[in-house]
Structure formats: C-alpha cells, structure tokens
Amino acid sequence: MSRVVSRNEINMADVAQRAGVSVATVSRALRGLPGVGEATRERILEIAEELAYVISPEASRLSGGPTRRVGVVVPAADMWFYGQMLAAIERRLRAADLDVLIYQVKDVDVRQRFFRQLPTRRKVDVVILIALPLPPEEASRLDHLGVEVVVAGGSVRDFPHVEVDDRAIARTAVAHLTGLGHERIGMIRATSYGDVHWDPDRLRLEGYQLELAAADLPQRPEYVASVPFTPEGGAEGADQLMSLPDPPTALLCFSDEIAFGALEAIRRRGLRVPEDVSVIGIDDHPLAATLGLTTVRQDVAAQGEMAAEMALLRLDHRRVEDVVMSHELVVRTSTAPPPARGTT
Amino acid sequence: MSRVVSRNEINMADVAQRAGVSVATVSRALRGLPGVGEATRERILEIAEELAYVISPEASRLSGGPTRRVGVVVPAADMWFYGQMLAAIERRLRAADLDVLIYQVKDVDVRQRFFRQLPTRRKVDVVILIALPLPPEEASRLDHLGVEVVVAGGSVRDFPHVEVDDRAIARTAVAHLTGLGHERIGMIRATSYGDVHWDPDRLRLEGYQLELAAADLPQRPEYVASVPFTPEGGAEGADQLMSLPDPPTALLCFSDEIAFGALEAIRRRGLRVPEDVSVIGIDDHPLAATLGLTTVRQDVAAQGEMAAEMALLRLDHRRVEDVVMSHELVVRTSTAPPPARGTT
DNA sequence: CTGAAAGCGCTTACAG
DNA sequence: CTGAAAGCGCTTACAG
C-alpha cells in the first residue's frame, strides 16, 4: 500500500522473494494449478495483490502460455451493425479477462493486405470474423492464420459461426406486407461493398423473391433497386422506385438505416407513410422505435455475445455447434394496408 | 513458396540459418538498424519474405522492444460518436503497423475495475482515452499505468489531448437561432452517464447561456431539459419543452441523435419544422443530411486521427501540442425564422 | 560489418 | 508440496 507501483514493474521473482518461495511455486499458485499447499497459495495471492503484481503477458506467452488475446476482424467499426457486434464481443471477452484486438478491413486493398500478411499471426489465440464477404483465395488464407477462427453474422467455409436466417427474415417482412394486402412490393438492396458479394444482401433478395412467389405475385425486376449502404442510398432507392409509372405500394428495405432514407424521400415526394406507401426495415435500429418504423428485429448484440462465447470454447479446443439466431417482426406505424387502387 | 507456413512457426533462427548469418544480424537487418552490409541485408529481407517470417512480438517485447500496441479506452463502441473515433484511430494506427486493443468502460463498475486493475499495464505502449469523464481518484490512477496517455474528445488533467470547443459550438448554434430572430430558445441536454459529470454537456450548456446573455435574452431554466443520450431521450425532451405554457420557438439539441428524436416528437404534436419550431443539432451525423437537420458539424474522424497521430509521437517520446479542432455551422431545412408571435 | 552470449520474465518437465 | 534449471525467441551490449 505504501509502495507506489510505477514503471519499474514488479516481477514474479519479487513476489517469490517476498513469499519466500520459488518463482515456479508462484507461477503455479497464481494460475490455480495443483501442487501448491493451501497456506502457501494464500500467502502468495495476498502478496501478489499487495504488490499489485501483473503478470508479464510476453514472458508468459513466450514460455508456452496462450496470448489471451482475440482478434476481431470487422469491415468498419463506425457502422451501426459492426459497432453493436464489436461492443458485445468485447464485453463478453473482457469478462473472461481476454483482450480484444481490432482489425478493420473495409477497403479492398486493406483487406487484401490483411489476408496477405495475416497480421494476427502470433498475436492472438482466436480470430472472430464479422460479416466478412471473402473471395475464395482469401478464405483459403485463413488456414495459415495458425489460430482458431469463428465467424459472426454470416458464414465462411466450415468455420463455426453464428448468424441469422436472412432468407427467412426477408420472407417474414414480405409476408407482413402481403398479409396487409400489398401486391406491388419493392425492395431496396444494399449493394455489396468493394469487390465482393455480400451474403445478407443476396439472401434477403432471395427471401423477398421466394415470398412473392409464395403469394402468387409476379417478380418485377424494376421493383428492385440497388443502392449504397447509407441513408442517402435509401433515399435514392425510394426515389427510383416511387418514380416508376406503376410504383410499389410497399418497400422492403435492406436495413433500417436504408429505410430511414426511404422514409424521408417518400415524404419529400409529398406522399404519406403508411397511407400512401408502407415501409419496412430490418434490424430494429434504436431510431426505428422513435420514427415508428416497422421492422424485422435481429439481436445483433446477442450474436456478438454468442460469437464471443464460441471463441471462448475454441480457446479450450472444445467443439462448438453453429447457431442460427432468431428474428422477430416488430409492427409499428410505417406499414398499413395499401391505398385503394387508383387513389394514389 | 512451396513451403506451407502453418502452426509450426518460422523463427528468426530459421531465417538466420538460411541466410548463413547470426540471429543478431537478422534482427538488425529486419529493423533497418545500421551495421549490416547492404548485400547481407537484402538477402535477409528476401529470405524473410520468402519464408513469410513474422517476428514473435512476445520475444521482441521481452527483450526490450516496444509492444507495438495501443490501448483505446472508450465508454462504448456501439455509440455513433465513439464508433467514429475508434474507427479513425484504428485506421491510422494500423497504417503505422500498430495493433489496437479496445477497452469499454461504460458501466461504472467496469470502469472502476479498469482503474483499479489497470489491465493495460504491460500490454500497450500508449493508452488513448476517448471522451471519458473521470472522477479525480480514477484520473490519478493513470500515473500507475506506466504508459503514455493521450486524450481525445475532451481533456483529462494535463495529458496531451485533442478536442473541440464545446462552448463555442453551442454559441454558434444559438447565434444562428438568434440571428433568425428567435427569442425563446430551449436546450435539450444529455445527462451525464453513470456517476460522473460529462464535460461536453456542461460546456455546451455554458455556451448556450453565454450566447443568450450576449443576445440580451433571459435565462429561463424551464427551457432546459435533461434527458438520456438517445433518440427517445430527445423525443422526451422536446415533449417536455413544447408542452410548456410559453414554449420555445427553437431547440438546441446536445447532439444530432437527440435532435432526431426531437424532430419526431415535434411532428407527432402536429407541429411543423421549421415553420412552427426550429431544431438544431450538433455533430453532423450521416442521417442529419438525409433528414435536413441544421447542425454544427464536428469532424469526429479527424479528431480520432489526430489522437492516433499524437499517440504515435508519444511513442517516440516526442512532445505534442494540444489541439482544438474546428467546427462549422451547416444550415439545412430544420431552422427558419420564428413564427409571428401568437400564430402558434 | 558480424557473431557469441547474456538476459528479458515467465512455464514446464524433472527431481526430490 | 516445492525447487533448480532449461527453454521460449528475441535484443543488446561487448568483442572482434
């Protein structure tokens, strides 16, 4: 207590000396290994506490221990979905006393460099890949990582993963609209970023098409707009679809953020939501409740936690099962039956 | 090329053997230290490349090198502002080949544990603190970190920091409103989180009050609402202020996210923005453009980059100057002159 | 310009 | 239950 711990670090040898034992015994005691007398162990723990001893991770690692670090590879930390994921993963892993390293790989060249250099090698025990669309060459590089891999928000090869059923999510949304009586339903897709295709986008489009078919509605390619994954993108998409000669009466948006832009664009055209046009999103973004947006909710934080849990299991080399998280329709005020034909 | 690099790592000794030199020479060559013949250096670099050699950070660190890791301590990675900051910091630091460790400390107990245990000790070379309101006991613990400290989005003690002028930002916003002729101007504050006071909130309130005084307008405490830092909070705040007997004609919101909620609440009351009520935010969140929100823009990513830059300098033990980043009024369609008195 | 050797702070057989 | 010693893969004086 009287002693200030600063740059001159306290080492295991200091603890050992103070306790009158060898460093080997301190090492065992601190890690809860068998082969240390109860009294000895307690004394050692007390002294370590008192000296505010922190183990040198480098030395520990170098002599065979794990790094106790997890790498999270994510397209961009500044987008809502990834931020949620990342935050949840960090919280869970921190609780298990692991450190979290973050690697953003949004830009194609940064991502390619990542997979060429594999900078997580020798630095982490597990890598969590978040919703990363990967060309085969890059996916195959993962074997060279030399660490466990877990995937969240999608799937990559046969690595353990947690995801939602994007096809079913889109079907749920479209079924809600057809249930209200809509027959002209448009979809605003979010274009893949960079050079690679994005699974959720592809699967949600499939779900949209499947559900239209299930409701005996025609597939109208002009009802599908592809836009950048931003609110402005959503506005563009809505403008494009609503200026069609025979515009849709309802819009499924790839995400709530896209939907926010669509809502605004529709209002700017002098149309009312939901009287003239219904809008449904996907995610249940915090703003969705405020803006009254009907959406299909997925629990992003829960996916992150689950991914962290899987990482923890893989650390112990235990088998883990893939997980598909549930989703749920949240009806608010942006969806209603279509206007009577010709009224618009 | 023919050799697969996997779990059996390639060490410096392997490179040395292949190159027919000692590990000492390889170590020097790889780090660009003087005292290695040009031809030797080139051969070593080639072989290292060919073998896809990655240095063991643990061994390097243990024998005196830096960790080449930076810890970022942030309230929550899943909030817009922090996500922007974090993303920008990571990008800059990654470009300098440093790894970024993230520590979330939103909850009081987690934060207290952080400052009790200081888990970044022995793990990073620099810690970047993002917009962290800290009680004095915790701020003083930073001396025990044993690493450099840099602060972003605020200031803590006399550590080098980058911030915006929150007082001036609020004054700019209020001046815009008074310039339009508003005399009844409300403010929606974001309450501090947890047990500590939040500088930007306090300073923006001060700026609001100063600018009212400068315009010879009365301070009306009932015109200031304190709400949680969420869109719903913004809606609550707007409801509270607009249901006053003599409601404001303009609202300054702590942030754009608060303003989004306020906009919606105002609309729900059957009032129009900006005809009946003007709303101004702070930040220039991506949705602000879409929703036509007038705001005072601050470049959060630039602040993050600057903080990363400072961290890089501190790594080299160079002196750094504190930085105050600029801000800028962005006029959109949510602000206009007040309605003629009595019209509302 | 280059190498042999000590040392960084731990963990892990191996003995006792 | 406990300790002495080797070893992890580097860096850094110290020699040459």
Side-chain angles (χ1 to χ4, degrees):
Chain A
M1 278 296 117
S2 61
R3 180 131 163 236
V4 171
V5 183
S6 66
R7 339 231 139 189
N8 34 24
E9 296 287 358
I10 293 201
N11 295 326
M12 202 176 266
D14 301 314
V15 178
Q17 191 188 14
R18 271 265 235 161
V21 296
S22 71
V23 290
T25 299
V26 174
S27 175
R28 294 185 190 106
L30 257 29
R31 283 175 301 146
L33 257 42
V36 185
E38 202 40 54
T40 315
R41 180 188 309 278
E42 270 174 28
R43 191 154 36 85
I44 291 173
L45 290 181
E46 250 169 44
I47 292 174
E49 168 89 77
E50 191 185 330
L51 297 181
Y53 171 68
V54 190
I55 196 171
S56 159
E58 333 294 337
S60 169
R61 176 73 249 280
L62 196 52
S63 36
T67 67
R68 298 201 65 76
R69 279 178 232 129
V70 174
V72 177
V73 183
V74 64
D78 51 5
M79 293 174 74
W80 180 79
F81 181 88
Y82 305 119
Q84 297 292 311
M85 253 327 176
L86 186 57
I89 290 175
E90 196 273 347
R91 269 189 280 269
R92 179 64 189 91
L93 257 22
R94 180 70 55 209
D97 250 330
L98 293 176
D99 281 316
V100 175
L101 286 172
I102 138 169
Y103 294 83
Q104 294 184 107
V105 294
K106 186 178 192 184
D107 296 335
V108 177
D109 53 327
V110 174
R111 200 193 68 226
Q112 286 175 344
R113 182 146 41 88
F114 179 88
F115 283 95
R116 202 173 332 113
Q117 303 182 347
L118 299 174
T120 57
R121 281 188 294 163
R122 308 192 104 159
K123 292 184 182 168
V124 302
D125 301 321
V126 189
V127 162
I128 301 180
L129 250 34
I130 302 185
L132 215 55
L134 250 33
E137 324 83 78
E138 292 181 4
S140 74
R141 288 283 294 166
L142 290 168
D143 294 325
H144 300 248
L145 264 179
V147 300
E148 299 293 338
V149 176
V150 166
V151 180
S155 71
V156 174
R157 290 176 38 197
D158 56 350
F159 294 113
H161 66 271
V162 48
E163 59 183 350
V164 288
D165 185 341
D166 282 299
R167 216 183 267 111
I169 285 178
R171 293 195 67 161
T172 299
V174 173
H176 169 62
L177 298 172
T178 58
L180 288 169
H182 290 274
E183 299 184 342
R184 289 176 287 146
I185 301 174
M187 173 165 185
I188 305 179
R189 303 176 60 175
T191 48
S192 54
Y193 68 78
D195 58 340
V196 279
H197 192 73
W198 210 2
D199 276 355
D201 177 59
R202 187 174 50 72
L203 294 168
R204 289 175 194 179
L205 177 68
E206 273 183 36
Y208 159 81
Q209 295 169 330
L210 283 172
E211 191 59 30
L212 287 185
D216 275 328
L217 294 172
Q219 309 285 342
R220 303 174 59 164
E222 74 274 21
Y223 273 10
V224 178
S226 285
V227 302
F229 189 10
T230 60
E232 299 93 273
E236 282 173 39
D239 273 327
Q240 179 185 327
L241 298 183
M242 296 316 293
S243 52
L244 250 22
D246 184 30
T249 59
L251 258 31
L252 163 60
C253 298
F254 174 77
S255 77
D256 289 351
E257 286 168 295
I258 296 272
F260 299 148
L263 286 176
E264 187 63 19
I266 290 169
R267 273 194 190 126
R268 282 209 206 110
R269 301 178 76 84
L271 296 172
R272 293 159 305 162
V273 174
E275 292 82 354
D276 301 317
V277 189
S278 286
V279 174
I280 185 167
I282 293 175
D283 274 347
D284 204 17
H285 186 286
L287 259 177
T290 307
L291 300 184
L293 178 69
T294 296
T295 192
V296 182
R297 138 179 273 266
Q298 62 167 317
D299 192 336
V300 184
Q303 284 178 70
E305 264 165 51
M306 182 59 76
E309 211 66 59
M310 285 179 166
L312 254 17
L313 289 170
R314 294 305 292 159
L315 249 178
D316 287 344
H317 303 293
R318 303 219 243 121
R319 281 207 60 67
V320 300
E321 299 290 321
D322 291 336
V323 176
V324 177
M325 305 288 283
S326 64
H327 54 268
E328 176 194 8
L329 177 68
V330 180
V331 179
R332 298 204 177 94
T333 55
S334 68
T335 48
R341 186 84 207 201
T343 310
T344 332
Chain B
M1 279 290 117
S2 61
R3 177 129 165 239
V4 171
V5 183
S6 66
R7 337 231 139 189
N8 35 22
E9 297 287 358
I10 293 202
N11 295 327
M12 202 175 266
D14 299 316
V15 178
Q17 191 188 13
R18 271 265 235 161
V21 296
S22 70
V23 290
T25 299
V26 174
S27 175
R28 294 185 191 108
L30 258 28
R31 283 176 301 146
L33 258 42
V36 185
E38 202 39 55
T40 316
R41 181 190 308 278
E42 269 174 27
R43 191 154 36 86
I44 291 174
L45 290 181
E46 248 171 45
I47 292 175
E49 168 89 77
E50 191 185 328
L51 297 180
Y53 170 69
V54 190
I55 197 170
S56 158
E58 332 295 337
S60 171
R61 173 75 249 280
L62 196 53
S63 34
T67 67
R68 298 200 64 77
R69 279 177 230 129
V70 173
V72 177
V73 183
V74 66
D78 50 6
M79 293 174 74
W80 181 80
F81 182 88
Y82 305 120
Q84 297 292 311
M85 226 22 145
L86 186 58
I89 290 175
E90 195 273 346
R91 269 189 282 267
R92 180 63 190 90
L93 258 20
R94 179 71 56 210
D97 250 332
L98 293 176
D99 280 317
V100 176
L101 286 172
I102 138 171
Y103 294 83
Q104 294 184 109
V105 295
K106 186 179 193 181
D107 295 336
V108 178
D109 53 326
V110 174
R111 200 194 67 226
Q112 287 175 344
R113 182 146 40 88
F114 179 89
F115 284 94
R116 203 172 332 114
Q117 303 181 347
L118 298 174
T120 56
R121 280 188 293 165
R122 307 192 105 159
K123 291 183 182 169
V124 301
D125 301 322
V126 189
V127 162
I128 301 180
L129 250 35
I130 302 186
L132 215 55
L134 251 32
E137 325 83 78
E138 293 181 4
S140 74
R141 289 283 295 166
L142 289 169
D143 293 325
H144 300 248
L145 265 180
V147 300
E148 299 292 338
V149 176
V150 166
V151 180
S155 72
V156 174
R157 292 175 37 196
D158 57 349
F159 294 113
H161 66 272
V162 49
E163 59 183 350
V164 288
D165 185 342
D166 282 299
R167 216 183 268 112
I169 284 178
R171 292 195 68 160
T172 300
V174 173
H176 170 62
L177 297 172
T178 57
L180 288 169
H182 289 274
E183 300 185 342
R184 289 176 284 146
I185 301 173
M187 173 166 185
I188 305 181
R189 304 176 59 175
T191 48
S192 55
Y193 67 79
D195 57 341
V196 279
H197 192 73
W198 210 1
D199 277 355
D201 177 60
R202 187 173 52 70
L203 294 169
R204 288 175 194 180
L205 177 68
E206 274 182 36
Y208 160 81
Q209 293 169 331
L210 283 172
E211 191 58 30
L212 286 185
D216 276 328
L217 294 172
Q219 308 286 343
R220 303 175 58 163
E222 74 274 22
Y223 274 8
V224 177
S226 284
V227 301
F229 190 9
T230 59
E232 299 94 90
E236 283 173 36
D239 273 327
Q240 179 186 325
L241 297 183
M242 295 315 293
S243 53
L244 250 24
D246 183 31
T249 59
L251 259 30
L252 164 61
C253 299
F254 174 78
S255 77
D256 289 352
E257 286 167 295
I258 297 272
F260 299 148
L263 286 176
E264 187 63 20
I266 291 169
R267 274 195 189 122
R268 282 209 207 108
R269 300 178 76 84
L271 296 172
R272 292 158 306 160
V273 174
E275 292 82 354
D276 301 317
V277 189
S278 285
V279 174
I280 186 169
I282 292 175
D283 274 348
D284 204 18
H285 186 286
L287 259 177
T290 308
L291 301 184
L293 179 69
T294 295
T295 192
V296 182
R297 139 180 273 265
Q298 63 168 317
D299 192 336
V300 185
Q303 286 178 68
E305 262 165 53
M306 183 60 75
E309 212 66 58
M310 286 179 166
L312 253 18
L313 288 171
R314 293 306 291 158
L315 249 177
D316 287 343
H317 304 293
R318 304 221 240 120
R319 282 207 61 67
V320 301
E321 300 290 318
D322 291 336
V323 177
V324 177
M325 306 287 283
S326 64
H327 55 268
E328 175 193 9
L329 177 69
V330 180
V331 179
R332 298 205 177 92
T333 56
S334 69
T335 48
R341 185 88 207 199
T343 311
T344 332

